[in-house]
Amino acid sequence: TFDDGCKSFYTDVLPLLKEFNYPAVLAIVTSWEEVGPPQGVGAIVSWDQIREIELSGLVTTASHSHNMHNFVVNNPFGNRGQEGATLLYTPNGYETRDSYQKRLAGDMELTQRAFEKNLGHSAEIYVWPYGEYTKLGAEMAQAAGAKVLFTLGDDVDTKLHRHLGVNRTIIY
């Protein structure tokens, strides 16, 4: 699995996958395709390149969220957590569960729209940004069409994770 849709996947990894006939998953942040990635991420693949990558028959494109690849304030002390896996904290207090659910649902809808519009299919794999997720988020991803969820956490002993989840390790 390769996260973030870095252009180096297209230039460096894809040729190796083809040479060795090896399958992979490429997880893209769909908003980055529209507005560009944040500073420090580097160049990312274009929709045209993603279509070419998919034509190889070796790569499945996954959602890495539409715009949840961020850290946000999650308590009154200013600590930060991964946006998709935490309730936001503002001077008015914590985000409600309903607000969190609407925020995730909106993001999942936007990423699915981007997949449909640009690739002609929905995303069936959801790769949680930074590998962090909540049980509610996992349930919502499944309801939005995800058949597989990739994580980095050690919380793999839930029924849903055993059914849909794939735990990963970061290789630097």
Side-chain angles (χ1 to χ4, degrees):
T1 60
F2 297 84
D3 292 1
D4 303 341
C6 297
K7 190 170 185 175
S8 60
F9 180 90
Y10 179 76
T11 58
D12 301 339
V13 176
L14 184 61
L16 291 171
L17 296 176
K18 288 178 178 179
E19 181 177 345
F20 294 101
N21 196 36
Y22 203 83
V25 172
L26 174 65
I28 62 168
V29 181
T30 52
S31 69
W32 294 359
E33 295 298 324
E34 297 169 10
V35 299
Q39 188 174 10
V41 170
I44 59 170
V45 291
S46 67
W47 285 117
D48 286 337
Q49 290 167 331
I50 295 168
R51 285 189 287 278
E52 182 181 338
I53 289 166
E54 286 189 344
L55 285 174
S56 74
L58 294 170
V59 181
T60 302
T61 307
S63 172
H64 203 29
S65 83
H66 180 70
N67 194 29
M68 294 261 176
H69 202 285
N70 307 296
F71 284 95
V72 294
V73 175
N74 65 359
N75 65 33
F77 306 105
N79 297 104
R80 297 164 59 83
Q82 199 292 311
E83 185 172 352
T86 190
L87 296 178
L88 303 177
Y89 182 82
T90 68
N92 295 328
Y94 287 98
E95 176 179 38
T96 66
R97 178 185 162 102
D98 286 346
S99 177
Y100 169 75
Q101 191 169 359
K102 286 177 186 172
R103 186 166 51 86
L104 256 61
D107 190 84
M108 290 176 185
E109 182 180 329
L110 288 171
T111 200
Q112 289 293 29
R113 276 193 213 162
F115 265 75
E116 291 286 348
K117 176 184 173 189
N118 294 286
L119 300 175
H121 62 80
S122 62
E124 294 184 345
I125 300 173
Y126 195 89
V127 178
W128 289 96
Y130 304 101
E132 296 183 30
Y133 68 103
T134 62
K135 182 178 180 222
L136 175 60
E139 291 167 354
M140 291 175 64
Q142 181 182 25
K147 295 180 179 169
V148 179
L149 306 173
F150 284 90
T151 68
L152 287 172
D154 55 7
D155 181 24
V156 296
D157 197 27
T158 64
K159 183 178 179 182
L160 183 65
H161 196 285
R162 283 192 305 273
H163 177 69
L164 295 177
V166 177
N167 195 25
R168 306 177 305 156
T169 301
I170 294 177
I171 300 173
Y172 294 97

